[in-house]
Amino acid sequence: MDYIYCKQTDNYIGRFLPLLDEGWTIFLISDHGQVCSEYTKPFVPGLLMDKGYTVMMKDENGQAVRDIDWTKTSAVAWAVCNISINLKGRDKHTLPDGTVIDGIVDPADKWELEERIMSDLYSWRHPETGHRVVSVALRNKDAVMLGYGGPECGDIVYWMAEGYNLDHVD
């Protein structure tokens, strides 16, 4: 599949190359490198499910479906590098039956939950190498020192170790 993107990019750039003869300058820039993982990609939402932080709804046969059970979920990974705590007083979720719930984690327990999740991220080992797959995991307020964090980011932000990255997340 990556080959298709390379071919499309080559064709697109190729349409502009004749303009170089007319005195044009072409700049090729990117916001990140679109690198591929060296190893099979670790799946942070899967880790959170395995550890019981994220719980999926079940169908009539007891099989997980694609909806999160917000009544049992204490944390969820979203976007890349972001984990949010399902916090009472902040996070409202509408269940499939229309019921609205208001988080499940008491704000007084947030710090300890973040600590457990970050410890789990640091102790997570890749099955092929046995190495740690998360290089840095921080609370949002601490990530601000590195130019990340703030209101658009999760309560915990993390970066994958080199070789386990997805896209540009190392």
Side-chain angles (χ1 to χ4, degrees), residues 90-107:
R90 182 188 72 185
D91 300 318
K92 298 198 182 328
H93 306 283
T94 303
L95 303 179
D97 67 2
T99 305
V100 176
I101 65 161
D102 180 23
I104 66 166
V105 177
D106 188 299

Side-chain angles (χ1 to χ4, degrees), residues 69-154:
D69 185 343
W70 292 107
T71 66
K72 298 176 183 169
T73 292
S74 59
V76 65
W78 59 275
V80 177
C81 298
N82 291 275
I83 296 172
S84 288
I85 305 302
N86 187 14
L87 200 61
K88 286 181 188 174
R90 182 188 72 185
D91 300 318
K92 298 198 182 328
H93 306 283
T94 303
L95 303 179
D97 67 2
T99 305
V100 176
I101 65 161
D102 180 23
I104 66 166
V105 177
D106 188 299
D109 299 328
K110 181 177 182 270
W111 191 93
E112 184 60 37
L113 178 59
E114 289 172 337
E115 190 66 25
R116 281 197 334 260
I117 292 170
M118 290 186 296
S119 293
D120 285 339
L121 289 170
Y122 282 129
S123 65
W124 189 23
R125 300 290 187 250
H126 194 274
E128 293 175 39
T129 65
H131 295 157
R132 179 171 46 91
V133 297
V134 172
S135 62
V136 177
L138 299 167
R139 288 181 175 82
N140 182 307
K141 69 181 184 74
D142 297 325
V144 172
M145 295 183 298
L146 300 176
Y148 198 64
E152 285 84 32
C153 295

Side-chain angles (χ1 to χ4, degrees), residues 38-96:
E38 187 174 340
Y39 304 100
T40 55
K41 179 182 77 173
F43 188 58
V44 173
L47 173 70
L48 294 183
M49 286 185 271
D50 291 346
K51 296 288 186 179
Y53 299 118
T54 302
V55 179
M56 304 307 288
M57 299 285 272
K58 305 273 193 266
D59 65 15
E60 60 279 354
N61 299 319
Q63 300 298 313
V65 296
R66 294 186 57 96
D67 294 320
I68 295 172
D69 185 343
W70 292 107
T71 66
K72 298 176 183 169
T73 292
S74 59
V76 65
W78 59 275
V80 177
C81 298
N82 291 275
I83 296 172
S84 288
I85 305 302
N86 187 14
L87 200 61
K88 286 181 188 174
R90 182 188 72 185
D91 300 318
K92 298 198 182 328
H93 306 283
T94 303
L95 303 179

